[in-house]
Amino acid sequence: MPPKAPPAEKIEQLRALIRHHEHRYYVLDNPEISDAEFDKLFRALKAVEAEHPELVLPDSPTQRVGGKPAEGFAAVEHARPMLSLDNAYSEGELLDLDRRVKELSGVAPDYVCELKIDGLSLSLIYEEGMLTRGVTRGDGTRGEDVTANVKTIRSLPLKLRDEAAQKYRRLEIRGEVFLPLASFHKVNEEREDNDEPRFANPRNAAAGTLRTLNPDVVASRKLDLFVYQCFADGQIPCPRHSETLGWLKEAGLKVNPHWKQCESIQAVIDYCRAWEEKRDSLSYEIDGVVVKVNSVRLQQDMGATSKFPRWAVAYKFAARQATTQVKNILVQVGRTGALTPVAELDPVELAGSTISRATLHNEDEIRRLGLKIGDLVLIEKGGDVIPKVVKVLEDRRPEDAQTFVMPSRCPVCSGEVYRPEGEAVRRCANVGCPAKVKESLLHFSARKAMKIEGLGEALADQLVDKGMVKDPADLYQLSLDDLVRLDRMGKKSSLNLLAQVEESKRNDLARIIFGLGIRHVGERTAQILAQRFGSMDALSRAAQDELESVFEVGPVVAESIYRFFAQPENLAVIAKLKAAGVNLTAKTAARKSAQLQGKQFVLTGKLPSLSREQAGALIEQHGGRITVSVSQKTDFVLAGEDAGSKLDKARALGVPVIEETEFLKMVGGE
Ligand code: IVH
């Protein structure tokens, strides 16, 4: 057997390998090994680091998620202001730029065209090659320190690759952080499941994510970053911008591959036009092309105003907007009974599709817009599929335009409508409202819930309208006779549906908890609840403070769950599900032991190998609870690196403080 490498060497070898593969995968988009092989390397590194916590360094690939929710973001002053760009909306304005440059330099300049990524600009500081800070643009002079969140961006090297780049004492890199469209759609789906408002566009979603206090959540959102500017100890490293882009790439940073050096303004115009056509072919949003003078010398000669550099402009694409008329305002009723006004539009072409509806969110939004039925409006399609009304063209208002009044009764069942305090939406109070029942059936059967795929909108409509199904539990009472009598339900599709309904009885507890559609309980919370309580019975009996003590379940969610199970109608549905033979217990034993029964833990700092989530799950699986703040009632404070005030408080109160190794022994050495 070859002699075993000393741990420090082994750790460095693994880190170098992992960095190499991260770069291949996240920056170059060209992996050399499978995800499973990569995970294996990563786990190996975590294991050696857990054995030798003294060797864990901040630039280790395992240190991307600090796991420590921040209390807020510190303000940081930029070394030099982060300027914005002047916009150009036409060829003429690009020709103006060219004229100004020529006047000043007396030569025909060349340009670099880059895509204008629709995200947020970010400043990154590398000190001797190590990432030490990430700051948002803020007001251009001062931004917010979002280092912990920025580190979760996998394409961003924690350590630069190039020796030349590592030599600088202080390297400032600027770039645009953004949310790829696929991640954006996923985040919005999750928000919908959790009854949270959707983000209007990927830019807002990226901004919201970057300002999220919990880096675990940020990591799950998958932000990405393209860099486009650099100051190396205050200087621009290369005489031409095109060379700087190459230099940044060498250093291991992600530079957008779509850029072009153009020898004339005509070539710039052609490039802008071409990308205006192709903008939808990318997996992220762009809103224009940034045109920069290539020569750094010339850039410096031209200088900047207080807001913009004079050597660059942003050629902005025409917005994806259209003008049309609001024919009517309909009111839809959702699963939670929310009444949502929707504008019915004169159909219009927008970004390749015909739009005939736009969401108006709620009555406050209609008031804010000052919208009347019959108005001409400007509609816009952001990255999201759902178009929205952005502006009312008041000076073109027809004489017979009508004020819209939100109905005081449910438009579907005529039931009573109420507006909960502090909320912008009205809700139908009737539990049996057919609109609610239909939506809850669709949610119950959804792929992430009970997975009854044969149940689509048309079928849900018929089942509810014919009175065959009044709640999801009724699905389990349907017979072949019932189904074949419905429109478009042959024997084959009926049998298929019955088979899926039958199959769904064996689903895991988490799916049915999610499928019940409890407000604020998304897929992930459902999984946590299933694991913690182990059965629907136990969950339905949980006291509100017990729910609140579950890791990651806050007071609002706890109250919502508690209220759900306090309603006799809901308990009746659960009893029906049970009688029908639907599985209401967790497959994996919820409790592994009662070793920590009744013990209260507080987590603080960063543990060497467990994430907060993992530690939280272990505590709960062994009967313990987690609370947020240290008090007399706390039994243990589980502390890691950089533990803050909680540790001081524990010491002051004489609460035992334990480390990860001791904790792992308590739960049986997992
Ligand atoms: S250069 C001083 N290049 O657009 C010049 N900016 O509207 C600094 N942006 O604040 C900016 N893609 O957030 C540059 N390839 C790109 C860009 C880009 C997006 C953003 C950046 C800037 C804003 C100006």
Side-chain angles (χ1 to χ4, degrees):
M1 245 184 7
K4 244 173 116 178
E9 218 170 277
K10 169 121 203 257
I11 283 183
E12 241 349 284
Q13 278 169 3
L14 279 168
R15 282 182 192 154
L17 252 178
I18 290 170
R19 276 188 200 116
H20 168 78
H21 290 299
E22 278 187 327
H23 182 249
R24 298 286 313 197
Y25 187 95
Y26 293 104
V27 181
L28 304 181
D29 207 3
N30 185 8
E32 287 172 340
I33 58 173
S34 69
D35 291 2
E37 283 168 300
F38 180 83
D39 285 347
K40 210 166 141 195
L41 288 174
F42 204 85
R43 280 199 305 271
L45 176 60
K46 273 195 128 173
V48 212
E49 286 186 344
E51 272 174 44
H52 303 278
E54 72 286 359
L55 298 175
V56 178
L57 295 175
D59 69 326
S60 169
T62 59
Q63 302 303 298
R64 285 195 183 269
V65 184
K68 191 172 64 172
E71 315 255 302
F73 302 107
V76 179
E77 191 143 336
H78 297 296
R80 56 191 66 70
M82 287 185 79
L83 300 178
S84 179
L85 291 171
D86 204 359
N87 292 327
Y89 295 98
S90 63
E91 277 178 28
E93 287 173 87
L94 290 173
L95 292 169
D96 288 345
L97 169 77
D98 194 48
R99 201 168 309 121
R100 285 196 305 271
V101 187
K102 280 180 180 151
E103 269 166 23
L104 196 107
S105 65
V107 294
D110 63 332
Y111 296 96
V112 170
C113 291
E114 291 168 22
L115 300 185
K116 185 169 184 307
I117 314 297
D118 198 8
L120 304 117
S121 45
L122 195 71
S123 154
L124 302 156
I125 307 295
Y126 283 89
E127 287 171 278
E128 281 157 10
M130 304 292 191
L131 177 69
T132 53
R133 199 169 244 186
V135 184
T136 61
R137 175 171 182 273
D139 62 4
T141 311
R142 303 172 114 228
E144 287 181 315
D145 184 333
V146 287
T147 313
N149 288 346
V150 163
K151 278 182 157 185
T152 68
I153 302 174
R154 302 293 294 265
S155 60
L156 186 68
L158 300 179
K159 182 179 176 192
L160 295 178
R161 294 168 62 79
D162 187 37
E163 267 179 37
Q166 289 171 5
K167 277 203 303 248
Y168 290 101
R169 215 167 44 78
R170 192 172 190 279
L171 201 63
E172 180 181 1
I173 312 275
R174 290 179 179 175
E176 197 82 351
V177 61
F178 64 97
L179 201 63
L181 286 168
S183 311
F184 166 68
H185 293 308
K186 189 162 161 271
V187 170
N188 262 352
E189 259 175 47
E190 280 167 14
R191 287 177 73 86
E192 197 140 89
D193 287 346
N194 291 340
D195 256 331
E196 291 164 337
R198 297 168 75 92
F199 286 118
N201 54 49
R203 198 180 121 83
N204 288 1
T209 303
L210 205 58
R211 299 198 75 260
T212 300
L213 290 170
N214 185 346
D216 282 332
V217 174
V218 181
S220 74
R221 297 258 178 102
K222 306 211 176 347
L223 289 169
D224 208 344
L225 174 91
F226 285 123
V227 304
Y228 46 67
Q229 215 177 9
C230 169
F231 304 94
D233 288 337
Q235 304 295 316
I236 294 172
C238 312
R240 305 177 78 69
H241 181 64
S242 48
E243 290 159 7
T244 301
L245 291 178
W247 190 92
L248 287 166
K249 197 172 161 200
E250 277 300 296
L253 291 150
K254 189 160 166 173
V255 174
N256 192 307
H258 305 295
W259 63 271
K260 193 177 177 198
Q261 186 178 338
C262 294
E263 302 300 329
S264 70
I265 200 70
Q266 191 52 49
V268 168
I269 292 169
D270 293 345
Y271 191 79
C272 292
R273 282 214 190 117
W275 273 105
E276 186 143 21
E277 292 296 311
K278 285 192 292 189
R279 65 189 292 196
D280 289 320
S281 65
L282 297 166
S283 58
Y284 46 86
E285 279 267 288
I286 57 171
D287 59 344
V289 171
V290 181
V291 182
K292 304 176 179 177
V293 167
N294 198 9
S295 153
V296 173
R297 176 82 194 278
L298 199 46
Q299 288 182 2
Q300 282 160 351
D301 286 349
M302 293 188 79
T305 69
S306 64
K307 285 199 202 140
F308 317 120
R310 293 197 185 89
W311 46 265
V313 291
Y315 172 81
K316 295 286 282 272
F317 296 150
R320 293 172 181 160
Q321 290 183 331
T323 305
T324 185
Q325 191 178 30
V326 174
K327 294 283 187 200
N328 198 2
I329 296 178
L330 306 172
V331 176
Q332 290 180 344
V333 184
R335 170 169 58 86
T336 57
L339 268 54
T340 308
V342 176
E344 227 184 7
L345 308 168
D346 201 7
V348 62
E349 277 289 308
L350 182 60
S353 53
T354 308
I355 311 293
S356 52
R357 283 183 176 197
T359 176
L360 294 166
H361 303 293
N362 55 52
E363 55 196 298
D364 291 352
E365 173 73 358
I366 297 179
R367 205 168 307 124
R368 191 186 67 77
L369 288 164
L371 175 68
K372 292 188 174 191
I373 299 169
D375 269 340
L376 283 156
V377 291
L378 198 62
I379 60 165
E380 185 176 292
K381 210 163 135 181
D384 206 356
V385 274
I386 305 168
K388 57 178 186 176
V389 174
V390 286
K391 196 177 163 197
V392 172
L393 307 176
E394 269 178 53
D395 43 349
R396 291 171 67 187
R397 171 166 289 160
E399 270 176 22
D400 58 352
Q402 282 170 19
T403 304
F404 167 77
V405 187
M406 207 54 189
S408 55
R409 303 203 76 91
C410 172
V412 176
C413 71
S414 306
E416 205 183 303
V417 163
Y418 67 105
R419 183 167 171 170
E421 253 200 54
E423 285 195 23
V425 288
R426 293 187 193 222
R427 294 178 193 276
C428 168
N430 173 13
V431 274
C433 171
K436 279 196 201 174
V437 177
K438 282 175 195 171
E439 290 299 322
S440 50
L441 269 189
L442 291 174
H443 177 78
F444 184 83
S445 324
R447 197 167 34 84
K448 291 186 201 158
M450 295 298 271
K451 208 168 181 255
I452 305 175
E453 283 173 341
L455 206 153
E457 238 168 87
L459 184 56
D461 283 352
Q462 293 193 68
L463 291 172
V464 177
D465 293 343
K466 293 200 159 53
M468 293 160 74
V469 171
K470 295 198 173 58
D471 61 53
D474 287 341
L475 286 176
Y476 296 93
Q477 307 303 329
L478 292 172
S479 67
L480 185 59
D481 272 358
D482 291 334
L483 291 173
V484 290
R485 279 191 281 125
L486 299 173
D487 289 346
R488 278 177 294 160
M489 284 298 282
K491 189 164 174 201
K492 197 166 159 214
S493 45
S494 300
L495 283 171
N496 189 11
L497 183 81
L498 289 174
Q500 287 185 27
V501 169
E502 190 59 30
E503 177 70 28
S504 77
K505 291 181 182 172
R506 288 191 287 278
N507 279 339
D508 199 27
L509 179 64
R511 283 181 174 271
I512 189 139
I513 295 177
F514 175 58
L516 288 175
I518 307 170
R519 274 196 85 195
H520 305 301
V521 176
E523 207 186 348
R524 183 164 160 65
T525 308
Q527 280 162 1
I528 293 169
L529 293 170
Q531 193 175 39
R532 170 68 177 82
F533 291 94
S535 73
M536 189 69 86
D537 277 346
L539 176 63
S540 66
R541 281 197 305 263
Q544 199 167 327
D545 61 348
E546 196 178 352
L547 290 163
E548 226 175 281
S549 75
V550 176
F551 190 58
E552 286 190 292
V553 173
V556 176
V557 185
E559 189 190 332
S560 165
I561 301 167
Y562 184 74
R563 275 178 175 234
F564 181 89
F565 289 109
Q567 286 202 323
E569 305 89 65
N570 294 334
L571 294 177
V573 171
I574 289 164
K576 269 162 75 181
L577 288 166
K578 195 176 197 175
V582 177
N583 170 47
L584 298 176
T585 54
K587 275 185 196 148
T588 44
R591 289 275 168 89
K592 293 198 173 156
S593 82
Q595 253 155 302
L596 307 179
Q597 190 61 45
K599 299 280 185 248
Q600 284 201 14
F601 284 76
V602 170
L603 299 182
T604 180
K606 191 179 149 19
L607 301 175
S609 70
L610 294 173
S611 68
R612 287 179 73 84
E613 262 172 44
Q614 288 166 330
L618 277 175
I619 291 171
E620 278 160 7
Q621 282 164 7
H622 292 275
R625 295 174 172 204
I626 295 152
T627 53
V628 183
S629 52
V630 181
S631 74
Q632 299 283 6
K633 288 199 226 149
T634 311
D635 293 293
F636 298 101
V637 169
L638 173 54
E641 206 182 317
D642 289 335
S645 59
K646 290 181 184 172
L647 193 57
D648 302 336
K649 189 153 180 209
R651 293 206 171 112
L653 292 173
V655 174
V657 176
I658 54 168
E659 289 183 356
E660 185 183 278
T661 33
E662 203 175 330
F663 169 69
L664 288 174
K665 276 188 209 139
M666 288 166 92
V667 293
E670 284 182 55

